[in-house]
Amino acid sequence: MLNLVMYFVKERMDNSNPFSNLLGNLPPQEQHHEKKEIDTINHEEKQDSAESSKCELTMLMEEIFLFSFNPDTKKYLYLEDFAGQLKSDEEMTVELVGRALFDRLFQLSSESSAPITDATDPSIIPYLFGCYKRAEVAEKKGGKDKRVITSFQNIILSNAFTALKIPYLFEGINISEEVYALLQSSFDPLLIARESSIYTFFKDIVEMFKEEDMTNYKSELCQAFFPLLDLTKNRLKKQGSLTKNNEFWPIVRFFTFSKDLGEVLILHSTPASDNGREFEDTLLGLLFAISCIPKTDLGPFEYFDRPADQPPQTTEFTMKYIWTSLSSLHSNLNDLFYNLLKCCRDPVLNWLGSCLEKNVDKGKLWNQTTQELTPRNYVSDRFMLNFSAVLLHLSNPIVTSDEKLAKVDPEYCSVNTENRDVAHEKGVHLIGIEKETCFLPRPKDFVTSAPKFGVSSDLFFITHKALDLSTRLLHEKLVKLSQELNKLERAWRELQSARGTSTDQGIEIKERMNMRMSLYLSLRAAMTEPKFCESLMNFTTGSSKWACQIAANKKCWDDVDDITVLSEENRLPFLPEFVATNVCDAILFQRRFNALKIEETNDDLRYIFDFILVFMGSKEKMKNPHLRAKLAELCENILPQDEDRSSARFYREKLFKQYKRRKLLAEALLKCFVSIEMTGEGVAFEQKFNYKRPMYVVMEFLWSLEDHKNVFKKLAVDAIENIEATDPPLFLRFLNLLMNDAIYLLDEALTYMSQIREQQAERGDGSWPDVPVFQRSEREATFQHITMLARFHNHLGLATIKMLSTLTSEIKDIFYTSVLVDRIASMLNYFLLHLVGPKNREFKVKDFEKYEFKPAEMVTCICRIYVNLGENDNFCLAVSADGRSYSSSLFEQAGNVLRKIGEYNLLKELDHVAMHIKQASEQLKTDDEIVTLAPDEYLDPIMSTLMLDPVMLPSSKNVVDKSTIARHLLSDQSDPFNREPLTLDQVIPCPALKKEIHDWLEEQKKKTGKNTNN
């Protein structure tokens, strides 16, 4: 076996060393010519030259290899056995040195009793690398035969190559352990020095693999270096943690030395199966999985031990300590992947895309709800968050440069990735991207004309998909944990005030609180690391600007004048919805858990504002109504209204008060509000109100700024001018829906309050404890559900009434039109009667605040609307005409409530309106007397009022008053009698009937001798 190895090494030495045997390898003709020349040299000079060459060769051998054939040497290792085998007349040659080196390696690798020095180092790879560096030093010194030094370097590399290729030759030596130790000791942890000795040493060895077998050298490289990667992975799995990972970075950085080594690392970290979870079990996966987040939601928790028992200072210190460690981890990961992309871009992008493809189901709702209960087939949250952090860093140069951002092509998302080879040729590594739902429906059979997409497009969309599977899911998890902790805290306090917390139940609640709080703080620490948040905000603002540029088909967004125009070359059908979702989620997360980070975005926050303006109110640019409603919530989260320090809201205030496009916001908001109701999509009724809640907040804020308030007023004027237009004006539709919402929400809220009162009464009379346990649990669950619904409807109902109160303070005329006046009057009467009339006893429950029931505030808002509109005769007449709820005592009862709560100024104003309404009521009695005499064909079949402008509906042929059908079409553009589609311009005037009605009315007036208000 040893002879075979000697032959193998000798062959490599002979092939790679042109100086072996001191020119003995020259072609025969050249050798003969050289011999002829030498013969002509003086015998004495020839002898001196030979002695000089031997002396220099011996000195270089001793200086580089640290061994000698001289028994008197003290500085170098004496190769006694090898020297004893030499013949007395054997010449000193490079080949002889090569044989001596191989003998020295075998001799010391099997004998380890000698004291270890550089000369007696028993290792293989570290010793050879030392020889290689000494050869470099000798070459730099000069004055030596460079050909001999090069030959020695080739011998060194040949032996290192042999050790890596056939590691089992050296018994008792673990070559991978040696390479691991060498890389740790020789590698600069802060940079990759491509001019360093360690780089050139292994670069030359890799070249030897290529030279030996150009066809199969990659598999040979894998065979040589996989053991090193296996060793690193096993050690990382056992010893790696957030604070103990520095020893592994030199090893993985080593594989960024060259394209070939980079591909070896990627191949080693590529799972064989389709199970996404296996990515986390690879070497790169284990690096991504280093985190403060526990492996499972149930622990164990490395940080935040029993946080409920710790002072806030301890938690804050731990948080900052984690941030420091995470920053270091991300820095190392960033450098690793940046250099991997430089040396082998396509394999790295393919690995990133494949990881996302195999874990795409992680983001699906069914998996989120069952993840804790079932074995996972996907990578952990800790893996995906670090994965996203690296991608955010890699994408940062793209999203912060207008030139690079303009190169991100949305048509990337149109490429069919079922054929992976074709997709990769196109530069698309995010498999399945064409299946994503986009801003607009994608055209069928579209084929992009782009020959190949650049790395900017690839990284941009890969990063977005990673965020969709990491920050979005973790944000949802944090919110749920926060809600759970709030419930546990309430339960703890209730128990504390009732029976004390030392009971078994109290101990159980405390343990649960500590466990869930540990998880909550660990997640929050991982997601709020400052540099990660900064990269996330850069990516968010850059993505917003890019989406706006695509909508306008411009390379520079700041050059766009009219942002409401949709480009003729519409590429929005290729924008995945997760771009918008990620933008919204990033801002919402920062607002909830890291609010100051939004302000730190500075003037770039305008791109978020523009994103809202471009897409929120335009179904032509974004079809999904849920997503447009999400943009309204996004708008709420950049409002500058909750921080105490003005410096913490400077840039946001600047947006709403000074930004050149600010006046477009009010109209966009109203369009979004209306479109939610008119989508025809399967939007749950209650969900619509959840969408509208943040809109009320934004509207209230905008109303406080004169510029925005004037926009609302202008929209109201436009609505009056176009009140009979084919398409109902925006502001008219908005007000109609606002009143619809108020009626529904307050009616439901009062119903739930009545049910709560009944159940509280049952609890109070002692009947609940007498029922079986399961029935008691069922009743308790029902009661809690009703409580939740009551809170929801009370809160939103009051917000809606407040909005109406705000609007009517300065926008009045539109409420006096025939389309709206009767509706708002009857609505106000109905709720005022329920809140202050005899039925208000039905809503008197214990603890109003628990159910967010604020009847006094509701009454105040309703009375304020009466006062705001009470100067108009049409309104007062409509109030008095409401036979269902109005009575002369209604405002007296409301006045009693206002008096109790100290609203004396409002009471005085309401008394004046009540007097005006009373006068209108007297006039109405005369009108009613006339209407009772009207023939049935003169009466509106829906409202039973006299038709003053009768029109025929084209499909059902029914005749109604124009004001009635106009009001109906605001909410439902169909014939109320047969549900056929209908618009106001399709109704058919009935001039003959109209004249007949008006003639009859004049005749009745003459008979009675009285005027009417009709």
Side-chain angles (χ1 to χ4, degrees):
M1 179 66 180
L2 185 57
N3 292 334
L4 177 63
V5 174
M6 287 291 293
Y7 173 78
F8 174 78
V9 175
K10 183 177 183 303
E11 284 294 306
R12 287 217 55 82
M13 289 167 54
D14 289 344
N15 292 334
S16 60
N17 176 16
F19 307 104
S20 60
N21 291 315
L22 285 178
L23 307 179
N25 59 341
L26 293 172
Q29 295 88 346
E30 294 186 29
Q31 290 185 38
H32 178 71
H33 179 67
E34 184 72 15
K35 185 176 183 302
K36 197 172 183 181
E37 287 185 348
I38 293 174
D39 288 344
T40 61
I41 299 176
N42 181 276
H43 178 71
E44 185 177 346
E45 292 178 350
K46 177 180 177 183
Q47 193 172 31
D48 290 343
S49 176
E51 288 299 323
S52 175
S53 296
K54 288 180 182 179
C55 182
E56 182 176 347
L57 188 64
T58 301
M59 290 175 62
L60 277 173
M61 178 192 75
E62 292 175 344
E63 182 180 342
I64 292 172
F65 296 103
L66 305 181
F67 58 65
S68 175
F69 302 150
N70 182 0
D72 296 330
T73 184
K74 294 183 179 179
K75 186 176 181 181
Y76 305 113
L77 173 67
Y78 172 53
L79 298 181
E80 182 178 358
D81 292 344
F82 187 83
Q85 296 173 10
L86 293 177
K87 299 176 182 179
S88 57
D89 59 346
E90 190 164 357
E91 293 186 7
M92 175 64 74
T93 65
V94 172
E95 181 185 4
L96 180 67
V97 174
R99 286 163 44 206
L101 173 61
F102 196 79
D103 186 80
R104 182 252 182 243
L105 293 175
F106 264 90
Q107 177 184 333
L108 287 187
S109 66
S110 58
E111 299 175 4
S112 58
S113 58
I116 298 178
T117 63
D118 287 346
T120 61
D121 184 359
S123 68
I124 306 299
I125 298 298
Y127 166 73
L128 290 173
F129 176 63
C131 296
Y132 186 85
K133 285 203 297 184
R134 289 188 287 272
E136 284 187 329
V137 172
E139 185 177 13
K140 289 177 182 178
K141 283 181 180 178
K144 306 290 178 64
D145 191 335
K146 289 187 177 181
R147 296 181 305 167
V148 175
I149 294 175
T150 302
S151 299
F152 281 177
Q153 285 178 323
N154 286 338
I155 292 173
I156 294 166
L157 293 169
S158 295
N159 281 275
F161 167 83
T162 303
L164 286 168
K165 187 176 176 68
I166 317 175
Y168 52 82
L169 288 179
F170 302 95
E171 188 175 351
I173 296 291
N174 188 322
I175 299 299
S176 295
E177 291 270 12
E178 289 190 349
V179 176
Y180 188 97
L182 173 63
L183 291 175
Q184 279 195 313
S185 62
S186 306
F187 204 83
D188 189 333
L190 299 179
L191 53 89
I192 296 177
R194 293 188 177 278
E195 292 77 28
S196 64
S197 299
I198 194 78
Y199 170 70
T200 55
F201 178 68
F202 280 102
K203 175 178 173 291
D204 290 340
I205 293 173
V206 171
E207 288 301 316
M208 286 185 169
F209 277 94
K210 286 186 179 180
E211 291 170 7
E212 184 183 58
D213 189 351
M214 196 64 188
T215 305
N216 298 315
Y217 80 93
K218 288 188 178 180
S219 63
E220 294 290 335
L221 277 175
C222 289
Q223 187 176 348
F225 287 102
F226 269 22
L228 171 62
L229 292 170
D230 287 337
L231 173 67
T232 308
K233 185 181 82 170
N234 292 334
R235 288 190 175 182
L236 178 59
K237 197 169 186 177
K238 291 179 181 179
Q239 305 169 18
S241 69
L242 188 56
T243 55
K244 297 179 181 178
N245 56 70
N246 287 333
E247 72 169 272
F248 307 108
W249 298 112
I251 315 304
V252 289
R253 280 201 189 101
F254 158 73
F255 286 88
T256 65
F257 276 176
S258 71
K259 178 178 183 294
D260 297 311
L261 288 175
E263 290 180 357
V264 168
L265 175 60
I266 295 300
L267 282 171
H268 184 268
S269 291
T270 301
S273 77
D274 289 335
N275 188 330
R277 180 67 177 80
E278 292 189 5
F279 272 89
E280 192 165 335
D281 296 328
T282 66
L283 174 55
L284 291 178
L286 289 171
L287 290 171
F288 278 127
I290 296 174
S291 178
C292 62
I293 301 175
K295 292 183 178 180
T296 71
D297 289 353
L298 302 178
F301 301 99
E302 186 175 354
Y303 303 96
F304 303 109
D305 181 43
R306 302 192 66 79
D309 302 330
Q310 302 294 333
Q313 297 88 339
T314 301
T315 300
E316 184 178 353
F317 175 81
T318 305
M319 193 81 70
K320 291 181 178 179
Y321 177 75
I322 289 173
W323 287 347
T324 302
S325 301
L326 277 174
S327 178
S328 175
L329 172 71
H330 291 164
S331 178
N332 284 318
L333 282 168
N334 294 340
D335 290 343
L336 172 64
F337 273 84
Y338 174 77
N339 286 288
L340 276 174
L341 279 171
K342 285 174 64 177
C343 71
C344 54
R345 186 175 73 183
D346 284 344
V348 174
L349 290 172
N350 187 36
W351 188 87
L352 294 171
S354 179
C355 179
L356 291 174
E357 178 199 4
K358 302 293 174 58
N359 288 282
V360 70
D361 287 341
K362 177 180 173 67
K364 292 184 177 178
L365 181 62
W366 63 266
N367 184 56
Q368 296 174 50
T369 56
T370 60
Q371 193 172 25
E372 289 188 22
L373 305 176
T374 59
R376 291 181 300 153
N377 294 318
Y378 315 103
V379 294
S380 65
D381 293 330
R382 48 201 271 142
F383 173 101
M384 195 53 74
L385 188 62
N386 288 330
F387 186 89
S388 298
V390 170
L391 286 167
L392 284 171
H393 177 81
L394 295 174
S395 298
N396 194 61
I398 299 170
V399 296
T400 54
S401 163
D402 285 342
E403 182 181 353
K404 292 179 180 178
L405 193 61
K407 294 179 181 179
V408 177
D409 191 340
E411 290 185 14
Y412 173 100
C413 305
S414 70
V415 175
N416 188 336
T417 60
E418 289 183 4
N419 188 326
R420 294 167 187 264
D421 294 335
V422 173
H424 291 169
E425 287 176 8
K426 282 275 191 183
V428 177
H429 294 87
L430 185 55
I431 304 302
I433 183 63
E434 75 280 8
K435 298 176 184 176
E436 293 289 340
T437 304
C438 293
F439 281 30
L440 296 174
R442 187 174 293 154
K444 294 182 179 179
D445 303 324
F446 175 85
V447 179
T448 179
S449 59
K452 185 172 183 177
F453 298 98
V455 69
S456 295
S457 298
D458 225 2
L459 278 176
F460 181 82
F461 289 109
I462 286 175
T463 304
H464 263 296
K465 190 60 186 176
L467 292 174
D468 186 49
L469 298 178
S470 59
T471 54
R472 179 179 66 85
L473 302 183
L474 283 170
H475 181 193
E476 291 176 5
K477 200 173 199 176
L478 268 177
V479 171
K480 290 178 181 177
L481 279 169
S482 179
Q483 292 169 347
E484 183 181 351
L485 285 169
N486 286 335
K487 290 179 181 177
L488 287 170
E489 187 176 2
R490 284 198 301 269
W492 171 264
R493 288 177 179 175
E494 288 175 4
L495 191 64
Q496 195 173 35
S497 61
R499 291 177 290 166
T501 55
S502 59
T503 61
D504 291 344
Q505 186 181 1
I507 295 172
E508 184 181 348
I509 292 176
K510 190 67 175 291
E511 287 300 314
R512 180 72 177 175
M513 282 177 63
N514 270 308
M515 186 178 71
R516 302 311 275 174
M517 194 177 293
S518 294
L519 178 60
Y520 171 84
L521 291 171
S522 298
L523 291 173
R524 183 167 180 172
M527 292 189 70
T528 54
E529 192 276 313
K531 290 182 180 178
F532 171 80
C533 289
E534 181 181 352
S535 296
L536 180 61
M537 289 303 296
N538 286 342
F539 190 76
T540 301
T541 55
S543 297
S544 301
K545 178 166 66 172
W546 173 80
C548 293
Q549 289 175 182
I550 297 302
N553 198 27
K554 297 287 185 180
K555 290 188 176 181
C556 182
W557 176 242
D558 292 328
D559 295 338
V560 177
D561 295 323
D562 188 354
I563 69 172
T564 62
V565 176
L566 180 63
S567 168
E568 292 182 4
E569 186 183 348
N570 190 356
R571 297 195 292 168
L572 293 176
F574 308 114
L575 264 66
E577 285 187 349
F578 59 56
V579 173
T581 302
N582 287 337
V583 168
C584 295
D585 189 76
I587 299 297
L588 180 56
F589 169 76
Q590 300 295 352
R591 186 58 180 267
R592 282 173 171 165
F593 302 103
N594 197 18
L596 288 178
K597 186 59 67 175
I598 297 177
E599 187 67 19
E600 291 172 8
T601 310
N602 301 340
D603 279 330
D604 281 352
L605 195 61
R606 72 186 187 274
Y607 298 123
I608 303 292
F609 196 82
D610 286 338
F611 184 75
I612 295 168
L613 295 179
V614 170
F615 294 103
M616 180 174 66
S618 177
K619 62 182 179 182
E620 292 77 20
K621 295 175 183 174
M622 183 181 285
K623 181 184 178 183
N624 188 342
H626 304 273
L627 202 51
R628 279 184 279 116
K630 193 80 174 173
L631 295 181
E633 186 178 15
L634 172 60
C635 188
E636 180 202 10
N637 282 284
I638 61 172
L639 293 179
Q641 60 177 12
D642 59 348
E643 284 79 14
D644 294 330
R645 293 179 294 137
S646 59
S647 60
R649 57 178 185 264
F650 172 79
Y651 288 101
R652 284 176 288 161
E653 284 189 344
K654 185 178 175 182
L655 268 182
F656 288 91
K657 294 180 179 180
Q658 301 176 27
Y659 185 47
K660 61 182 180 180
R661 295 171 177 148
R662 67 189 184 280
K663 294 181 182 179
L664 297 173
L665 181 57
E667 184 173 358
L669 190 64
L670 295 189
K671 285 181 177 179
C672 184
F673 187 99
V674 170
S675 67
I676 292 171
E677 196 75 34
M678 308 298 288
T679 57
E681 304 284 343
V683 182
F685 201 72
E686 285 78 10
Q687 185 63 49
K688 292 179 182 179
F689 296 116
N690 279 327
Y691 288 155
K692 291 175 181 178
R693 182 204 56 77
M695 297 185 194
Y696 294 144
V697 177
V698 177
M699 287 180 203
E700 288 283 356
F701 177 77
L702 295 182
W703 191 263
S704 68
L705 304 176
E706 202 63 31
D707 282 347
H708 298 281
K709 184 191 294 186
N710 289 335
V711 175
F712 284 115
K713 290 180 178 180
K714 184 179 182 302
L715 290 171
V717 172
D718 291 342
I720 294 173
E721 293 174 353
N722 299 281
I723 202 161
E724 294 189 359
T726 302
D727 291 325
L730 175 63
F731 200 75
L732 184 61
R733 285 184 288 159
F734 162 66
L735 291 179
N736 178 68
L737 293 172
L738 196 62
M739 286 189 281
N740 286 348
D741 291 349
I743 293 168
Y744 172 81
L745 289 167
L746 289 176
D747 206 23
E748 289 291 296
L750 295 178
T751 300
Y752 288 126
M753 295 309 295
S754 177
Q755 292 177 14
I756 289 171
R757 183 176 182 277
E758 291 176 3
Q759 295 208 19
Q760 284 184 345
E762 290 179 5
R763 283 184 163 193
D765 65 15
S767 60
W768 265 29
D770 296 335
V771 300
V773 175
F774 76 91
Q775 287 186 12
R776 197 183 317 152
S777 300
E778 193 175 284
R779 286 187 179 186
E780 184 62 36
T782 301
F783 180 74
Q784 293 300 329
H785 181 66
I786 293 173
T787 297
M788 180 191 69
L789 291 174
R791 286 166 57 87
F792 172 82
H793 289 86
N794 279 324
H795 177 81
L796 282 176
L798 181 58
T800 309
I801 289 294
K802 280 184 175 180
M803 191 72 250
L804 282 168
S805 177
T806 299
L807 292 172
T808 56
S809 65
E810 297 193 40
I811 296 175
K812 304 175 187 293
D813 289 348
I814 193 169
F815 290 97
Y816 304 147
T817 62
S818 60
V819 178
L820 295 181
V821 68
D822 289 333
R823 294 199 63 219
I824 193 163
S826 60
M827 179 193 79
L828 295 173
N829 289 343
Y830 176 77
F831 288 115
L832 192 60
L833 175 64
H834 279 74
L835 291 169
V836 303
K839 291 186 177 181
N840 68 350
R841 299 188 198 90
E842 297 177 4
F843 318 122
K844 289 185 177 179
V845 300
K846 298 175 183 177
D847 195 0
F848 280 180
E849 291 183 1
K850 182 177 180 181
Y851 310 105
E852 295 196 33
F853 184 47
K854 302 173 182 178
E857 192 172 351
M858 285 185 185
V859 170
T860 301
C861 287
I862 291 171
C863 290
R864 176 56 62 189
I865 298 172
Y866 277 114
V867 170
N868 291 341
L869 302 177
E871 295 178 358
N872 182 266
D873 292 340
N874 285 345
F875 175 74
C876 292
L877 187 64
V879 171
S880 63
D882 177 22
R884 182 178 66 160
S885 303
Y886 174 74
S887 68
S888 58
S889 62
L890 182 61
F891 292 104
E892 293 179 11
Q893 295 164 336
N896 292 334
V897 174
L898 294 178
R899 198 173 289 108
K900 285 180 181 178
I901 61 178
E903 289 283 351
Y904 298 109
N905 291 332
L906 180 58
L907 174 60
K908 185 177 179 180
E909 293 176 290
L910 185 65
D911 286 342
H912 177 73
V913 172
M915 184 64 67
H916 195 179
I917 293 173
K918 187 175 181 180
Q919 293 170 356
S921 177
E922 294 297 325
Q923 179 62 51
L924 184 64
K925 291 179 181 179
T926 303
D927 296 344
D928 288 342
E929 290 174 4
I930 295 176
V931 173
T932 56
L933 301 174
D936 289 345
E937 60 268 25
Y938 293 175
L939 299 179
D940 183 284
I942 297 176
M943 303 300 294
S944 297
T945 55
L946 192 67
M947 294 187 292
L948 299 178
D949 190 4
V951 293
M952 179 182 289
L953 308 184
S955 59
S956 68
K957 306 301 181 185
N958 284 288
V959 177
V960 297
D961 193 76
K962 190 172 183 178
S963 64
T964 302
I965 193 62
R967 184 164 56 246
H968 167 79
L969 292 176
L970 287 175
S971 303
D972 185 356
Q973 293 197 322
S974 67
D975 188 318
F977 297 97
N978 60 12
R979 314 306 299 166
E980 289 293 322
L982 179 66
T983 56
L984 194 59
D985 64 322
Q986 294 174 326
V987 300
I988 304 167
C990 302
L993 179 59
K994 180 177 180 180
K995 183 178 183 303
E996 185 179 331
I997 293 173
H998 280 270
D999 288 346
W1000 176 86
L1001 188 58
E1002 286 299 320
E1003 183 181 348
Q1004 295 303 311
K1005 287 162 61 177
K1006 290 177 181 178
K1007 287 181 180 180
T1008 59
K1010 298 178 181 179
N1011 292 326
T1012 72
N1013 282 299
N1014 284 326

